[in-house]
Amino acid sequence: MSAKITIHDVARESGVSIKTVSRVLNREPNVKADTRDRVQAAVAALKYRPNISARSLAGSKAYLIGVFFDNPSPGYVTDVQLGAIARCRQEGFHLIVEPVDSTADIEEQVAPMLATLRMDGVILTPPLSDHPAVLAALEREGVPYVRIAPGGDLDRAPWVSMDDRLAAYEMTRHLIGLGHKDIAFIIGHPDHGAAMQRRQGYFDAMRDADLPVRDDRVEQGWFSFRSGFEAAEKLLGGADRPTAIFASNDDMALGVMAVANRLRLDVPGQLSIAGFDDTPGAKITWPQLTTVRQPIHAMAGAAADMLMHGVDQEEGAPPPSQVLDFELVVRESTGTA
Amino acid sequence: MSAKITIHDVARESGVSIKTVSRVLNREPNVKADTRDRVQAAVAALKYRPNISARSLAGSKAYLIGVFFDNPSPGYVTDVQLGAIARCRQEGFHLIVEPVDSTADIEEQVAPMLATLRMDGVILTPPLSDHPAVLAALEREGVPYVRIAPGGDLDRAPWVSMDDRLAAYEMTRHLIGLGHKDIAFIIGHPDHGAAMQRRQGYFDAMRDADLPVRDDRVEQGWFSFRSGFEAAEKLLGGADRPTAIFASNDDMALGVMAVANRLRLDVPGQLSIAGFDDTPGAKITWPQLTTVRQPIHAMAGAAADMLMHGVDQEEGAPPPSQVLDFELVVRESTGTA
DNA sequence: CGCAGCATAGACAGCGCTGTCAAGATGGAT
DNA sequence: ATCCATCTTGACAGCGCTGTCTATGCTGCG
């Protein structure tokens, strides 16, 4: 184990005080270029790395960003982490991941970790983005947070999201463009803000194309494979079938795909299927799923950015938020009617 | 924001010195029961939480465990995290997640974070468990680590794993027990230690049952959906088909399933399919996949345990390691021959 | 009754850094 | 040459804890 080398070693090596080394490290102004170079050379020579505990104890930054999640799909979680970390690394921040069970006592889970860690900020993923107790705990402890894809309460704190309504609108238009007129829709979990927006996008697109939407062509799902499976059984059970089904997430679309397989329906020959999210599962199927790619990586990165650079919200001004672009991913599960 | 309350507040409240509070917090001996109770009452009353930065700066523990990963399946990563965190929470530890790109410069990625964070230990997941540069960097910095499912070099450091050979052996026996005699096998990524063990388990079971293994019934795969798909096309292409295919991970098994669907083969009526891992994808398909459940959660928990309680390896003694139990999960994709 | 020996508690010095404040250096305007 | 404003640097005091060392109280034993 290499002996720990501290700021004092660097100061000695470069012939300045530790305070000056600190200044160089933190890119503070008012350091002569010449001095800065000497210090940086010493840092490089000694391979010096500031100790994060000392930094956060003495200063106001902890160099720690938290990610709270509650068991959405693993692919989503991992994507968020990767997106956030990519940005954090550049600034010397690290990521603390904390699963939060939204059905258990929030206070008990969140407050202790907030107090012990004193993180600089927390990234909230759905469904935590809309969990009142979580937001309240964060606010009480004075820890800044950014929500990813919140469903409501948009003026309360900064957030990052995509336009779910528009994405669903465009997916529906894609289907209509393929010649489909009888398009069924499977709604997502009603507690999930995005689910309602996607539903709206579907209705808007159908209306704009003057296509009627029969009541029995819209089924309620819960974002799970099983709920998609069951909805598809109703939709495809009789002889009167839609020519396309748009499930508002991939898991449900996969459920539809499974029913189609059982029924020996050719996809996309006899039935087009569209999903939403572009989870890994979308490619782990045959035919591969036409879906919407969420900019998860970018959203998490943007959230980390806001947190690291301080989200100083001016009094009265709306919180600084961002809407990022999605992408329609057309694969093999959709075809002409 | 609640004003930060410190050990001094607790000391004042309970009428003892801060050192005594520290003793109670750290469960040190030689504190009268009466005193301990008073302190604990004050801690509870004030909702005091020790500051982790101060603790790690002053003491030798950082209360931080790292998890290094390099993009195995998201489900695997998330499972490891959840398993490790569950254990860490009980002891007041937190988890730092760090993706490590094994194809890039390891030194550059790992050394800085080890120096700045001074974590108490690191959990390595495959394929990092067998990455020489990662192990070397950890050892040079003197950071203890526990490997999950390492492929070799078992005497070098502690590890946690399961018996992949035995699991594959039992899955093969499950198939044989169902009456199958012509069982094909798809090998996993050759760099992955576990892949070879699974292959061995298959061969051992076939040999022990006096069943011949034809060369053209064993295909090389890479643990990916596509490689499973391609292997299945070869295996199922002609009229002379095996009655069962054992793919040595779920992604490949799903590839086989996709081919079976295209070929309109009834699963499990005309073809039984078995996977390995029990990823979420195993249930996101129809019929659901018979597979092997890895004790990922438990392995990660055990690894965290070792790290938190110090893995003091005696000179010359083998590193303390564990082999945990797997579970055969029989679902609908396998049936009688 | 005196004292070793242990259990219990506190004083105090840092851990490695940043924030504050003050001192010295520099330069331009007068 | 003088003075002030500005730039550059350093001394020093903590941040909130733990480790070490010392002081006290108490026990039991000769």
Side-chain angles (χ1 to χ4, degrees):
Chain A
M1 148 135 74
S2 46
K4 303 180 203 169
I5 89 120
T6 77
I7 199 171
H8 288 97
D9 300 314
V10 179
R12 193 170 339 102
E13 178 82 8
S14 49
V16 299
S17 74
I18 60 166
K19 180 65 223 194
T20 298
V21 175
S22 171
R23 285 197 179 91
V24 173
L25 259 32
N26 293 291
R27 293 192 184 75
E28 285 174 29
N30 300 336
V31 177
K32 256 201 297 195
D34 171 50
T35 312
R36 177 175 25 254
D37 292 347
R38 272 217 320 290
V39 171
Q40 279 167 343
V43 167
L46 297 173
K47 291 199 206 299
Y48 165 70
R49 306 288 166 190
N51 177 314
I52 204 172
S53 299
R55 274 185 132 168
S56 70
L57 182 57
S60 48
K61 279 183 290 186
Y63 296 93
L64 249 29
I65 300 280
V67 175
F68 288 6
F69 62 93
D70 179 28
N71 128 105
S73 82
Y76 192 93
V77 173
T78 316
D79 240 21
V80 167
Q81 292 179 1
L82 291 172
I85 289 183
R87 219 46 139 270
C88 286
R89 281 235 176 123
Q90 301 165 8
E91 321 256 347
F93 278 63
H94 295 266
L95 216 63
I96 299 273
V97 304
E98 294 287 355
V100 172
D101 180 352
S102 57
T103 63
D105 186 326
I106 295 299
E107 205 47 35
E108 216 169 72
Q109 297 176 77
V110 173
M113 87 181 58
L114 257 21
T116 54
L117 250 24
R118 306 205 182 287
M119 304 178 259
D120 300 300
V122 169
I123 299 174
L124 256 28
T125 57
L128 264 17
S129 302
D130 292 307
H131 196 301
V134 174
L135 307 194
L138 254 2
E139 284 162 12
R140 186 159 26 66
E141 295 288 334
V143 177
Y145 61 91
V146 172
R147 292 175 293 165
I148 292 185
D153 229 349
L154 265 25
D155 293 330
R156 182 165 183 179
W159 48 263
V160 184
S161 77
M162 60 166 271
D163 191 338
D164 282 273
R165 196 204 63 86
L166 183 60
Y169 186 92
E170 293 200 354
M171 178 60 86
T172 309
R173 285 207 53 85
H174 160 71
L175 259 11
I176 293 171
L178 252 20
H180 293 278
K181 296 191 187 324
D182 188 357
I183 304 171
F185 184 80
I186 306 178
I187 310 172
H189 197 299
D191 285 354
H192 198 120
M196 293 305 106
Q197 295 181 29
R198 292 176 193 176
R199 174 172 159 282
Q200 194 58 48
Y202 160 77
F203 277 112
D204 289 354
M206 293 297 276
R207 186 203 55 219
D208 289 359
D210 285 325
L211 257 21
V213 175
R214 287 164 44 182
D215 278 355
D216 62 349
R217 292 278 123 113
V218 177
E219 290 290 337
Q220 178 69 55
W222 307 90
F223 276 157
S224 67
F225 174 81
R226 180 142 300 273
S227 71
F229 191 94
E230 285 163 5
E233 281 184 323
K234 288 187 209 157
L235 256 12
L236 302 174
D240 173 31
R241 292 188 270 98
T243 63
I245 298 181
F246 177 12
S248 60
N249 85 338
D250 284 353
D251 280 10
M252 296 193 299
L254 260 17
V256 176
M257 189 87 79
V259 172
N261 278 331
R262 280 181 87 192
L263 262 28
R264 310 264 170 205
L265 289 174
D266 180 48
V267 177
Q270 295 167 274
L271 178 72
S272 282
I273 301 176
F276 201 112
D277 280 351
D278 198 24
T279 56
K283 277 187 290 193
I284 299 279
T285 182
W286 188 272
Q288 296 191 359
L289 212 53
T290 289
T291 186
V292 173
R293 170 139 59 231
Q294 290 208 54
I296 302 177
H297 194 90
M299 291 196 290
D305 245 1
M306 289 178 166
L307 259 8
M308 291 187 296
H309 298 137
V311 272
D312 341 87
Q313 197 178 151
E314 284 169 50
E315 206 58 40
S321 299
Q322 292 185 41
V323 176
L324 302 182
D325 290 336
F326 57 86
E327 184 189 346
L328 215 66
V329 181
V330 177
R331 289 200 270 246
E332 295 91 27
S333 70
T334 51
T336 51
Chain B
M1 146 136 75
S2 46
K4 303 180 203 171
I5 90 120
T6 77
I7 198 170
H8 288 97
D9 301 313
V10 179
R12 192 171 339 100
E13 178 82 9
S14 49
V16 300
S17 74
I18 59 165
K19 179 66 223 194
T20 298
V21 176
S22 170
R23 285 197 180 93
V24 173
L25 259 33
N26 294 290
R27 295 192 182 73
E28 284 174 29
N30 301 337
V31 177
K32 255 201 294 196
D34 171 52
T35 313
R36 180 181 16 256
D37 293 346
R38 273 217 320 289
V39 171
Q40 280 166 343
V43 166
L46 298 172
K47 290 196 207 294
Y48 164 70
R49 305 289 167 190
N51 177 313
I52 204 173
S53 299
R55 275 186 131 169
S56 70
L57 182 57
S60 47
K61 280 184 288 186
Y63 296 92
L64 250 30
I65 299 280
V67 174
F68 287 8
F69 62 92
D70 179 28
N71 144 93
S73 82
Y76 191 93
V77 173
T78 316
D79 240 22
V80 167
Q81 293 178 1
L82 292 173
I85 288 182
R87 217 50 139 267
C88 285
R89 280 233 177 124
Q90 300 166 7
E91 322 256 347
F93 277 63
H94 294 268
L95 217 63
I96 299 272
V97 304
E98 292 289 354
V100 173
D101 180 352
S102 57
T103 63
D105 187 326
I106 295 298
E107 205 46 38
E108 218 168 71
Q109 297 176 76
V110 173
M113 87 181 58
L114 292 178
T116 54
L117 250 24
R118 305 204 183 287
M119 304 178 260
D120 299 301
V122 169
I123 298 174
L124 256 27
T125 56
L128 263 19
S129 302
D130 292 306
H131 196 301
V134 174
L135 306 195
L138 254 2
E139 285 162 11
R140 187 159 25 64
E141 296 287 335
V143 178
Y145 62 90
V146 172
R147 293 175 292 165
I148 291 185
D153 230 347
L154 263 25
D155 292 329
R156 185 165 181 177
W159 47 263
V160 184
S161 76
M162 61 166 271
D163 192 337
D164 282 273
R165 196 202 63 84
L166 183 60
Y169 185 92
E170 293 198 355
M171 178 59 86
T172 309
R173 286 206 53 86
H174 161 71
L175 260 9
I176 294 171
L178 253 19
H180 294 279
K181 296 190 185 330
D182 189 357
I183 305 170
F185 185 81
I186 306 179
I187 311 172
H189 198 298
D191 286 353
H192 198 118
M196 294 303 107
Q197 295 180 29
R198 292 176 193 176
R199 174 172 160 281
Q200 193 58 49
Y202 161 75
F203 277 112
D204 289 353
M206 292 298 274
R207 188 203 52 218
D208 288 357
D210 286 326
L211 256 22
V213 175
R214 285 164 47 181
D215 277 356
D216 62 350
R217 291 279 125 112
V218 178
E219 290 289 336
Q220 178 70 53
W222 307 89
F223 276 156
S224 68
F225 175 80
R226 181 141 300 274
S227 70
F229 191 93
E230 285 163 5
E233 281 185 321
K234 288 187 208 155
L235 256 12
L236 301 174
D240 172 31
R241 293 188 269 99
T243 62
I245 298 181
F246 177 12
S248 60
N249 85 337
D250 284 353
D251 280 9
M252 296 194 299
L254 259 18
V256 176
M257 190 88 77
V259 172
N261 278 332
R262 280 182 87 193
L263 262 28
R264 310 266 170 204
L265 289 174
D266 179 47
V267 176
Q270 296 167 274
L271 178 72
S272 283
I273 301 176
F276 201 113
D277 281 349
D278 198 24
T279 56
K283 276 186 289 194
I284 299 278
T285 182
W286 190 272
Q288 295 191 359
L289 212 53
T290 289
T291 186
V292 172
R293 172 137 62 231
Q294 289 208 55
I296 303 179
H297 195 89
M299 291 195 291
D305 245 0
M306 290 178 167
L307 258 10
M308 290 188 295
H309 298 137
V311 270
D312 342 87
Q313 197 178 150
E314 284 170 48
E315 206 57 43
S321 299
Q322 292 185 41
V323 176
L324 301 182
D325 289 337
F326 56 85
E327 183 189 347
L328 215 65
V329 181
V330 177
R331 289 199 270 247
E332 296 91 26
S333 71
T334 51
T336 51

